[in-house]
Amino acid sequence: MASLDPFTVEIIRDQLIAAAEESFATLGRSSQSPIIYEVLDYACAITAPHGDLIAQANGVPGFLGTLSFAVKAILDKFPPATLQPGDVFITNDPYQGGGNHLSDVALVAPIFHAGRLVAFSVNKAHWTEVGGMAAGSWTTDSREIYQEGLQFPAIHLYRAGRPEQGLIDLIAANVRTPDRTLGDLYAGVAALRSAERRVIELCDRYGAGTLLAATQAILDHGERLARQALADLPPGEYFAEDWMDDDGLSDEPVYVCVRVTVSRDAFVADFTGSAPQVAGPINCTRTRLHSACRTIFKAVTDPHTPGNEGWFRPLQVICPDGTV
């Protein structure tokens, strides 16, 4: 491996960000849903082989830092030794698959160079239609997840480059707008391939070992910047509380609270004391909660520098199971 100097690290970092942004542009141009190509309700990223976020391009802020959870959900189910070039996985599982809600569908692809796993390409987009009890797969009065649409529990969409046609047919048969839904699916696959090409080009130029060493340096640098910014925040304990009007099924307000503790070493957001989970479809998934906290943490530390998994190392999120 060539000597890893800071100039090489910076070049690789910028090119990985550019690859994520090119992937983002590819998905936006190719999708068929206005919520994707106009609202920009989607995100694209590149992660390290262990799933940590390296570079991300996203439209709505709510996806900041959320894509690494999808990659790690795939790795929990499919060890690296079982992955193959050309694999694509699909997940929207809000409980174990790094999901937000069922309409936010994540596609994940391992990237190999000379047989070596060097990264993952991942994107998540809000598909207009994934089935369920209401058109658009969005309702305020569902009582169980089965009413919200199709669930993809971290499974193969492509296997070694070959599409799982049975799954694609199943999706088409269970949505109201199959052409649009499959159009969004294939747009996501195209975006994965775009990022894959750029990462492989980097490996061809610098070597896989240099790329992997640079990604670790990028993560460590992100952590250093975050801790420097954290040191500028006033230390102390801060508390906030509020009420949602209702859960969509009753007139009862829903209590939410958070206690934030800021120190030189950590930013801790503790949601203990919030209301128990409710019957209506407003419960926040753990992935969504982490993403929301990451968005705020990034905003109050440094909203301008590109984020990565290292940036979020000082952030701790505490939330008991079974709360809203």
Side-chain angles (χ1 to χ4, degrees):
M1 183 182 70
S3 176
L4 191 64
D5 61 85
F7 301 102
T8 300
V9 173
E10 186 65 17
I11 291 170
I12 290 175
R13 171 181 172 272
D14 287 347
Q15 291 194 356
L16 288 172
I17 293 172
E21 291 175 345
E22 182 178 345
S23 179
F24 186 86
T26 299
L27 202 162
R29 287 199 309 264
S30 306
S31 69
Q32 296 192 20
S33 290
I35 196 169
I36 296 177
Y37 62 75
E38 290 187 1
V39 181
L40 305 184
D41 195 353
Y42 71 106
C44 300
I46 296 168
T47 80
H50 44 72
D52 280 356
L53 176 68
I54 300 298
Q56 179 166 335
N58 60 292
V60 294
F63 283 162
L64 180 62
T66 192
L67 297 178
S68 56
F69 292 94
V71 176
K72 291 176 180 179
I74 298 301
L75 287 169
D76 286 342
K77 192 170 181 179
F78 300 94
T82 67
L83 305 179
Q84 304 177 74
D87 282 350
V88 175
F89 298 89
I90 183 170
T91 179
N92 65 350
D93 186 340
Y95 303 112
Q96 298 179 346
N100 303 321
H101 65 133
L102 296 186
S103 293
D104 287 342
V105 181
L107 302 181
V108 179
I111 301 175
F112 290 86
H113 182 265
R116 183 180 186 181
L117 179 65
V118 295
F120 282 90
S121 175
V122 53
N123 58 65
K124 178 178 287 188
H126 183 121
W127 291 5
T128 298
E129 175 65 35
V130 291
M133 64 184 286
S137 307
W138 187 267
T139 174
T140 60
D141 59 353
S142 62
R143 294 176 178 270
E144 54 186 2
I145 195 169
Y146 309 104
Q147 296 174 313
E148 297 184 17
L150 286 166
Q151 299 179 65
F152 305 119
I155 54 177
H156 277 90
L157 178 64
Y158 283 65
R159 197 183 298 267
R162 297 177 61 88
E164 294 284 351
Q165 192 59 47
L167 174 59
I168 293 172
D169 292 345
L170 179 68
I171 294 171
N174 281 275
V175 298
R176 296 170 179 85
T177 55
D179 290 342
R180 175 173 292 179
T181 297
L182 293 186
D184 293 339
L185 182 154
Y186 292 127
V189 173
L192 295 177
R193 299 306 185 212
S194 169
E196 178 184 41
R197 287 192 298 271
R198 299 310 179 200
V199 172
I200 291 174
E201 288 173 358
L202 277 173
C203 289
D204 288 340
R205 180 176 181 182
Y206 295 102
T210 298
L211 174 69
L212 293 172
T215 58
Q216 186 58 52
I218 291 167
L219 293 172
D220 293 341
H221 182 250
E223 180 180 4
R224 288 195 300 273
L225 291 178
R227 293 194 183 279
Q228 290 172 9
L230 183 61
D232 293 333
L233 296 181
E237 187 173 276
Y238 307 87
F239 181 77
E241 60 182 349
D242 209 337
W243 299 83
M244 290 184 280
D245 290 341
D246 56 68
D247 69 346
L249 298 176
S250 73
D251 295 328
E252 294 296 321
V254 182
Y255 181 67
V256 180
C257 65
V258 62
R259 189 176 305 276
V260 176
T261 304
V262 179
S263 67
R264 292 187 61 85
D265 298 320
F267 186 102
V268 182
D270 186 351
F271 292 84
T272 301
S274 295
Q277 62 190 35
V278 294
I282 65 166
N283 298 294
C284 179
T285 70
R286 193 166 291 277
T287 298
R288 172 63 82 187
L289 180 64
H290 276 267
S291 182
C293 291
R294 288 180 172 198
T295 301
I296 297 303
F297 178 69
K298 191 69 173 66
V300 300
T301 51
D302 180 354
H304 304 294
T305 304
N308 57 54
E309 202 79 19
W311 195 283
F312 304 120
R313 287 173 181 169
L315 173 64
Q316 301 175 31
V317 180
I318 300 171
C319 186
D321 290 337
T323 63
V324 67

